Amino acid sequence: MTEAEAAAELPPAPEEARAVFGEFFPEAVRYAELLADAGVKRGLIGPREVPRLWERHLLNCAVLSEVVPEGVTVCDVGSGAGLPGIPLALVRPDLKITLLEPLLRRTNFLQEVVELLGLDHVTVVRGRAEEMMGKVAPVHVVTARAVAPLDRLAGWGVPLLRPYGEMLALKGDTAEEEILGARAALSKLGVVETSVLHVGEGVVDPLSTVVRVEVGESPGGVRFAAKRAKAARTSRTRRRR
């Protein structure tokens, strides 16, 4: 399959997409076209994913909005081609979203998409999540999709949260198993509750599976307490200058 053939196989948007994206449906279509064309050419998605872009990727990510609180700050860790961050941004203009991605070719693509779609409430930041404490403001919600196993993902994402924030990770059928395997690591990171949610009723089949990881007053736990305090002091010093 050539790149041109992959782009040509992008199917029409399903009716569910019109309902989910609402007034931003044209922007969602443009994003799908960008993924099917530039996304494939730059190696951000595989050609075989193009025929199922809507159901498996855009809608699967957009329904995450069902469990994101209103008007909060969000950091999409390991954003890649913008999933789930960009579909979430299209559905929820009330959110302030940071797309965090370490690879330059991906951040270049993300910046182009943000500008083309006019997503003024979205910021692209290049960097690794584990190096961002003190460099980006703590957020209410961290999102992620297909980035890493839950224990490792939590080690990167949880320290970026504000106290009593939450991480929402799109996962597959092994969500419950991942939670069991990560329980000790999550506890050390200050996690106080975990749960598995299913979202997208009437939109996607099967439903999207979301692991919700909620933290207490010390995101990252004892391991990150000193680092968090140092980052806060550095931030105050910069503001005084």
Side-chain angles (χ1 to χ4, degrees), residues 37-139:
D37 187 0
V40 172
K41 291 176 181 176
R42 301 187 194 183
L44 302 182
I45 66 165
R48 296 182 185 276
E49 295 302 310
V50 174
R52 49 187 184 178
L53 266 179
W54 284 106
E55 289 80 4
R56 186 181 176 91
H57 298 286
L58 274 74
L59 289 173
N60 177 269
C61 291
V63 296
L64 182 63
S65 66
E66 295 177 18
V67 290
V68 178
E70 186 175 350
V72 298
T73 53
V74 178
C75 182
D76 188 33
V77 170
S79 195
L83 301 165
I86 289 177
L88 183 61
L90 289 169
V91 175
R92 295 287 301 277
D94 60 297
L95 304 175
K96 296 288 186 183
I97 299 178
T98 298
L99 305 179
L100 181 60
E101 168 57 46
L103 295 183
L104 180 60
R105 63 187 173 89
R106 293 177 179 171
T107 54
N108 285 342
F109 175 79
L110 292 173
Q111 191 61 51
E112 290 168 16
V113 170
V114 167
E115 292 174 4
L116 281 168
L117 302 185
L119 300 176
D120 296 336
H121 58 303
V122 177
T123 302
V124 178
V125 174
R126 185 186 176 198
R128 298 183 180 278
E130 60 268 36
E131 299 170 354
M132 287 296 109
M133 184 181 289
K135 297 180 182 178
V136 297
V139 295

Side-chain angles (χ1 to χ4, degrees), residues 11-235:
E15 285 304 311
E16 292 86 352
R18 293 182 180 274
V20 169
F21 290 103
E23 64 178 301
F24 293 97
F25 174 69
E27 285 80 3
V29 171
R30 181 66 180 127
Y31 177 49
E33 292 170 346
L34 289 167
L35 286 175
D37 187 0
V40 172
K41 291 176 181 176
R42 301 187 194 183
L44 302 182
I45 66 165
R48 296 182 185 276
E49 295 302 310
V50 174
R52 49 187 184 178
L53 266 179
W54 284 106
E55 289 80 4
R56 186 181 176 91
H57 298 286
L58 274 74
L59 289 173
N60 177 269
C61 291
V63 296
L64 182 63
S65 66
E66 295 177 18
V67 290
V68 178
E70 186 175 350
V72 298
T73 53
V74 178
C75 182
D76 188 33
V77 170
S79 195
L83 301 165
I86 289 177
L88 183 61
L90 289 169
V91 175
R92 295 287 301 277
D94 60 297
L95 304 175
K96 296 288 186 183
I97 299 178
T98 298
L99 305 179
L100 181 60
E101 168 57 46
L103 295 183
L104 180 60
R105 63 187 173 89
R106 293 177 179 171
T107 54
N108 285 342
F109 175 79
L110 292 173
Q111 191 61 51
E112 290 168 16
V113 170
V114 167
E115 292 174 4
L116 281 168
L117 302 185
L119 300 176
D120 296 336
H121 58 303
V122 177
T123 302
V124 178
V125 174
R126 185 186 176 198
R128 298 183 180 278
E130 60 268 36
E131 299 170 354
M132 287 296 109
M133 184 181 289
K135 297 180 182 178
V136 297
V139 295
H140 298 93
V141 176
V142 164
T143 59
R145 178 179 188 252
V147 173
L150 186 60
D151 54 351
R152 204 183 327 155
L153 175 62
W156 299 336
V158 166
L160 300 179
L161 290 169
R162 295 171 51 141
Y164 306 104
E166 60 186 354
M167 184 175 74
L168 300 171
L170 282 161
K171 288 288 183 178
D173 297 336
T174 61
E176 296 279 5
E177 295 174 27
E178 285 199 49
I179 289 176
L180 287 174
R183 199 167 294 283
L186 295 176
S187 179
K188 291 178 182 178
L189 288 166
V191 173
V192 297
E193 189 170 343
T194 58
S195 54
V196 176
L197 312 173
H198 298 284
V199 296
E201 183 72 42
V203 178
V204 291
D205 184 18
L207 300 179
S208 297
T209 300
V210 180
V211 172
R212 172 184 271 161
V213 174
E214 300 173 73
V215 300
E217 63 182 13
S218 299
V222 175
R223 185 156 50 121
F224 287 91
K227 191 173 181 180
R228 188 179 300 280
K230 181 180 179 181
R233 289 195 300 271
T234 302
S235 178

Side-chain angles (χ1 to χ4, degrees), residues 1-7 40 47:
M1 180 185 295
T2 68
E3 293 165 353
E5 289 171 338
V40 172

